[in-house]
Amino acid sequence: MTTPTVVLVTGVSSGIGRETAAQFARRGCAVFGTVRNLAKAAPLPGVTLIEMDVRDSDSVQRAIAEVMGHAGRIDVLVNNAGVNMTGAVEETTIAEALTLFETNFFGILRTIQAVLPHMRGQRQGKIVNVSSVLGFLPAPYMGMYSASKHAVEGLSESLDHEVRQFGIRVTLVAPAYARTSLEANSPVAQSPLAAYDRERDAVAAAVAGAINKAPAPDNVAAAIVDAALGKWRMRNTPPGQASLLSKLRRFMPAGPVDASLRKQFGLG
């Protein structure tokens, strides 16, 4: 009997993480999904829910130990948990930026450092870090989120070189907008400056319109599952807008890309 692939997905309460965990389960994997509050989490068929807060090192270590106690190994780690924040760079406080990085960057670092000893011991593993098209493109009025995803991309590429010797690979999945609650529930910088009001409002309206037209997270989840279980590639983009933006960034001159992005965000 074939031993199922053991997968750990962070942030499965809703959206992309929840759909990703469900798709892994349908592929026959032994799936563990993390939530911040187990008592409030809705059950997910085929997925064992584990309480974990990526902002808390002790919580991360306990959760990884719990998965190892259940399954004895971790073959795939999907770092999906993340938060957004809107606001101009000038009006974002250091404390607000640190809060975002605690989840989006240091949260990923904590889970990676907790899982790697086990993957090194088994001489095999795949780490999938969920980035964003904003990890390779600018995002006016989402500068901290974009910065965190750029950081994740740099970490991922560097880490992949370090861990290949142990049979471990690291890969990135960079989606565009998906119809989830991430942007709708995003905190806003709490010290707004009137000088930015006009453009900030224009960007907010453009983003809201894009989210309303965005597809459900199924395609993003499928790209994550394929990146985890299929042939390794450093960067993966779901079909549609994310794939198009990746090609534009690679092959178009900087000037037209800049102009196109400003138009998309409603900036003059």
Side-chain angles (χ1 to χ4, degrees):
M1 184 175 177
T2 305
T3 303
T5 301
V6 179
V7 180
L8 173 62
V9 183
T10 68
V12 304
S13 295
S14 63
I16 291 169
R18 192 169 182 84
E19 176 62 24
T20 298
Q23 289 195 24
F24 273 120
R26 291 197 290 270
R27 292 280 287 266
C29 299
V31 186
F32 296 84
T34 75
V35 294
R36 279 195 289 177
N37 190 327
L38 195 56
K40 295 181 179 179
L44 185 55
V47 178
T48 302
L49 298 181
I50 302 287
E51 189 165 280
M52 184 177 86
D53 186 343
V54 298
R55 301 168 299 179
D56 183 327
S57 296
D58 290 339
S59 175
V60 171
Q61 292 291 341
R62 286 194 301 270
I64 299 307
E66 186 173 350
V67 175
M68 291 299 297
H70 279 290
R73 62 187 294 114
I74 298 173
D75 299 304
V76 174
L77 167 65
V78 177
N79 281 309
N80 163 75
V83 296
N84 194 7
M85 183 174 64
T86 58
V89 170
E90 185 183 356
E91 57 192 17
T92 304
T93 67
I94 298 299
E96 288 169 331
L98 286 171
T99 296
L100 182 140
F101 267 77
E102 275 296 335
T103 296
N104 288 10
F105 181 76
F106 292 110
I108 285 178
L109 182 59
R110 289 184 185 97
T111 58
I112 287 172
Q113 291 182 338
V115 164
L116 274 178
H118 304 292
M119 287 186 172
R120 283 193 292 104
Q122 65 202 31
R123 308 294 295 186
Q124 179 271 333
K126 182 77 74 71
I127 297 171
V128 182
N129 292 331
V130 179
S131 179
S132 165
V133 294
L134 303 187
F136 57 82
L137 288 169
Y141 300 93
M142 287 181 282
M144 294 306 129
Y145 180 80
S146 182
S148 72
K149 293 302 185 179
H150 275 70
V152 167
E153 299 226 344
L155 173 73
S156 300
E157 286 201 85
S158 299
L159 178 63
D160 180 66
H161 286 284
E162 296 171 0
V163 297
R164 287 185 204 181
Q165 61 183 314
F166 308 117
I168 304 165
R169 297 308 300 264
V170 183
T171 185
L172 288 157
V173 177
Y177 295 116
R179 202 164 60 247
T180 71
S181 60
L182 178 65
E183 283 83 5
N185 296 331
S186 295
V188 178
Q190 293 301 295
S191 301
L193 299 172
Y196 293 104
D197 284 351
R198 181 183 61 82
E199 284 200 347
R200 190 191 325 100
D201 291 347
V203 169
V207 170
I211 293 169
N212 288 336
K213 297 175 185 176
D218 309 52
N219 285 344
V220 179
I224 293 170
V225 173
D226 289 344
L229 302 180
K231 185 177 180 181
W232 177 86
R233 288 190 304 173
M234 186 69 244
R235 281 182 166 76
N236 303 269
T237 49
Q241 186 185 31
S243 182
L244 174 62
L245 289 170
S246 176
K247 291 181 175 66
L248 289 176
R249 183 62 156 178
R250 287 177 62 193
F251 300 117
M252 278 189 68
V257 172
D258 180 84
S260 175
L261 285 169
R262 289 187 64 79
K263 182 178 180 181
Q264 179 182 339
F265 282 114
L267 301 178

